[in-house]
Amino acid sequence: MKNRILVVLLALTINVVVGQEPHVFLKPLHPNVYIKYMELHRGEVVEFVEMLTLFNLYWKYVKGGIILDHQMLYCGLLNEAFDVLFDEYYKDPEMFDAVKLILIESQNRMYPDEPIKDLDPASEPMFKVSIQTNPDIVCPAAVEGTKPHTYLKEIDTEKLIEYMKSHAGTEDMLVLYNLYWKREKSNDCNGNFKKYCDLLLDAFDIVCDRHFGNVENFAKAIPPNGITQVEKINSFLPYAY
């Protein structure tokens, strides 16, 4: 069956330019360029570790430049969360200016057939993501009725973590859970990071609902025990990212 390919120039890679946020300057670059830079310096910059963790979660779905249509919303949330972190770290323009030349040189070295002279937010994005709809591929069914993630408030955090660590297909859930609770435990889900935390929760809800399918499956896998929200946060601290 012939695939129907919808080319999305910007939706999943770089958001629309608003106030020249730092992430919009990445548009002329292939993601491999700035990711390589972060990997090289993650031992010096602790923020890069979190950004790399989040980007790798996103990148495994779009590395080939094509994703399935049912993954679009999820990948969009991951990409937007990465942008929030990137913009927060490089909120000082002089700080980002210091690495622009390095990124341009890396781009021209890694992709000599597509050289650039500067990081122009108005340029066409180098890396484009296509959304693929293929009738031959069975996609997870949409979750109807009450969503499994709404049952989380009844679940002991340690039981949920134990489940995610011991069952296949929960890797994304565990990474997102760890990233969120790292912020929650330090009361950092506010201000500039409120949007970031909300994006992580939305992404987690999507993979949680797809994994369990319905509330009944969730209840069978992880029965509730009435642990309070404060106890949940405290019990999670040893597992925090």
Side-chain angles (χ1 to χ4, degrees):
M1 188 72 81
K2 184 178 180 180
N3 294 338
R4 179 166 59 91
I5 305 297
L6 301 176
V7 178
V8 179
L9 298 180
L10 208 52
L12 298 177
T13 52
I14 304 296
N15 291 333
V16 176
V17 177
V18 178
Q20 303 296 295
E21 296 97 332
H23 77 265
V24 303
F25 290 94
L26 300 178
K27 198 167 21 168
L29 301 172
H30 191 286
N32 281 333
V33 174
Y34 50 87
I35 292 306
K36 291 292 184 184
Y37 177 82
M38 291 184 180
E39 289 176 342
L40 182 63
H41 296 281
R42 61 183 168 187
E44 309 157 25
V45 182
V46 65
E47 290 87 351
F48 282 176
V49 178
E50 185 171 359
M51 279 189 262
L52 284 168
T53 300
L54 187 60
F55 187 86
N56 287 336
L57 201 62
Y58 162 81
W59 193 234
K60 74 178 184 180
Y61 293 99
V62 301
K63 191 172 184 179
I66 298 175
I67 64 169
L68 297 177
D69 54 358
H70 74 278
Q71 298 170 333
M72 183 172 64
L73 176 57
Y74 177 60
C75 289
L77 291 169
L78 297 178
N79 180 72
E80 190 173 357
F82 175 87
D83 289 347
V84 171
L85 288 182
F86 190 89
D87 291 347
E88 179 62 20
Y89 180 72
Y90 283 110
K91 59 186 175 183
D92 180 353
E94 293 184 0
M95 189 175 182
F96 188 49
D97 286 342
V99 303
K100 283 183 179 179
L101 183 58
I102 297 174
L103 294 176
I104 292 172
E105 291 176 345
S106 296
Q107 168 76 24
N108 294 338
R109 183 178 64 256
M110 296 171 66
Y111 300 93
D113 294 337
E114 302 183 71
I116 60 174
K117 294 181 179 179
D118 54 30
L119 299 183
D120 181 5
S123 63
E124 285 290 311
M126 179 188 180
F127 186 77
K128 301 175 184 180
V129 179
S130 298
I131 302 173
Q132 176 175 292
T133 300
N134 188 341
D136 295 333
I137 298 177
V138 179
C139 299
V143 179
E144 298 181 357
T146 303
K147 305 292 192 281
H149 76 262
T150 61
Y151 205 57
L152 279 174
K153 63 183 179 181
E154 305 294 336
I155 304 301
D156 176 14
T157 301
E158 291 188 14
K159 284 190 175 182
L160 180 57
I161 293 169
E162 181 182 349
Y163 177 89
M164 290 189 289
K165 284 187 172 183
S166 59
H167 287 74
T170 60
E171 294 81 6
D172 286 22
M173 291 172 59
L174 188 57
V175 172
L176 289 166
Y177 203 75
N178 287 347
L179 288 173
Y180 173 77
W181 283 108
K182 175 195 173 192
R183 297 285 175 182
E184 181 66 30
K185 76 182 182 67
S186 59
N187 296 316
D188 203 16
C189 282
N190 49 53
N192 292 341
F193 288 109
K194 183 182 185 306
K195 180 179 179 180
Y196 174 66
C197 291
D198 289 344
L199 290 166
L200 292 179
L201 285 178
D202 289 344
F204 178 86
D205 289 348
I206 288 175
V207 291
C208 176
D209 292 345
R210 289 199 181 278
H211 177 77
F212 290 103
N214 55 56
V215 172
E216 289 73 23
N217 289 341
F218 193 24
K220 291 175 184 177
I222 318 172
N225 67 353
I227 298 298
T228 66
Q229 186 76 0
V230 173
E231 289 172 324
K232 285 171 64 177
I233 295 174
N234 290 338
S235 67
F236 183 75
L237 298 185
Y239 304 96
Y241 168 80

